Amino acid sequence: MTNTAQGALRGRTLAGHNRISTQALTSLARAAAAEALGVEAQDVRADWSDDDGLLALSLVTPIAVPPLSAILRDPGRVAGFGGSIWDRAVAAKAAILRRVTELSGAGLSRVDIRISGASVKEGRRVR
């Protein structure tokens, strides 16, 4: 790196543009949703729309659940997975919004989640 380039990097803002493609934002949103809901990112569909200058994220995704037979034997398994599907979806909205904003710097106004199915996970606990 030249002395000029090094000087430009020390405490000064460089001219130019930084852009994050829609594809990159979509991949990030899918990964954040998968992490929050305990499913594979490939199973999550993400769409973006404009919301008065901010981005609104709409997700269609399954959610990880314990086997029903395990819940019958031990109803406490529901709490171990993070609560009811409704409670987990509500909590996931905030987590996904925070994570996508933190990693991309994009301004999100909201996250809408539509649960499309259940992915049965034996022995795995969702964070």
Side-chain angles (χ1 to χ4, degrees):
M1 188 177 295
T2 66
N3 285 339
T4 305
Q6 288 173 342
L9 293 176
R10 274 191 233 121
R12 293 200 301 166
T13 303
L14 300 176
H17 298 287
N18 292 325
R19 298 186 196 260
I20 300 173
S21 72
T22 303
Q23 175 72 31
L25 278 174
T26 299
S27 295
L28 174 59
R30 291 174 65 203
E35 179 180 78
L37 297 169
V39 296
E40 298 294 323
Q42 66 193 20
D43 296 334
V44 178
R45 189 172 70 228
D47 293 304
W48 299 95
S49 61
D50 178 45
D51 187 18
D52 289 327
L54 296 173
L55 291 172
L57 173 60
S58 178
L59 300 166
V60 178
T61 178
I63 190 169
V65 297
L68 295 179
S69 59
I71 293 172
L72 288 173
R73 286 191 305 274
D74 178 13
R77 292 281 308 265
V78 172
F81 262 71
S84 70
I85 291 172
W86 180 267
D87 291 342
R88 290 175 50 212
V90 169
K93 284 185 196 186
I96 294 165
L97 188 140
R98 185 174 49 255
R99 189 77 165 146
V100 171
T101 299
E102 172 186 301
L103 292 174
S104 71
L108 273 69
S109 62
R110 69 177 193 274
V111 175
D112 299 320
I113 298 176
R114 184 172 140 217
I115 302 298
S116 62
S119 177
V120 178
K121 304 288 182 177
E122 181 67 54
R124 182 173 175 215
R125 298 193 183 247
V126 176
R127 289 181 259 149

